[in-house]
Amino acid sequence: MASEYKPNLGVITVTAATTLDDDAYAGRTINLNSTTGRTITLPTATGSGATYTIFVGATVSSGNHVVSSGSGVIQGCVAIATDIAGVTVPTASNTNTITLNGSTTGGVRGSMLELQDVASGIWSVRGSLVSTSTEATPFSAV
């Protein structure tokens, strides 16, 4: 019988645009180990508690790494820093996309996001993003 709670199931590297699902990806670290941007689409948020950790293993330099929640919203905040000062960036009430551009909005090697399905239509986000220039919000409503 499959468990609803999936602790540390290892690391999986994605090599193309990927739509996540609970069975294959929940409880795993998704490694974006490519300098070419990847689009990650979250499943529909239902309140399952499923957690996805996204780690940037190689600084994106062509395109952007994009995390999309589709019709759901992403709520929370992340720390983003170029240096020791850094900033904490909150989402807006309608955020549904996170864009890591390899410079101002994160996406530099070592950046990490954790997203959890906390309620119907709502994802929680937290994380730490590494930037190379003046920090800017990675959050938007698309």
Side-chain angles (χ1 to χ4, degrees):
M1 182 171 174
S3 171
E4 291 291 325
Y5 174 70
K6 298 183 178 185
N8 191 3
L9 295 176
V11 177
I12 187 166
T13 299
V14 296
T15 58
T18 302
T19 298
L20 304 182
D21 64 70
D22 289 354
D23 291 334
Y25 297 98
R28 292 182 178 252
T29 298
I30 294 102
N31 185 14
L32 300 177
N33 198 27
S34 172
T35 58
T36 301
R38 302 284 185 238
T39 297
I40 303 297
T41 303
L42 299 168
T44 300
T46 61
S48 72
T51 300
Y52 302 88
T53 301
I54 298 172
F55 178 78
V56 177
T59 301
V60 64
S61 60
S62 175
N64 300 309
H65 290 315
V66 177
V67 178
S68 171
S69 69
S71 62
V73 295
I74 301 170
Q75 299 293 278
C77 61
V78 298
I80 182 169
T82 297
D83 54 27
I84 197 166
V87 296
T88 301
V89 181
T91 58
S93 63
N94 61 346
T95 296
N96 67 357
T97 303
I98 303 169
T99 303
L100 309 178
N101 66 8
S103 64
T104 59
T105 63
V108 174
R109 183 179 183 178
S111 294
M112 186 275 307
L113 295 167
E114 183 181 88
L115 295 120
Q116 185 175 31
D117 177 356
V118 295
S120 179
I122 302 174
W123 287 92
S124 169
V125 66
R126 64 181 176 173
S128 55
L129 302 175
V130 182
S131 64
T132 61
S133 188
T134 303
E135 300 90 349
T137 184
F139 302 123
S140 63
V142 178

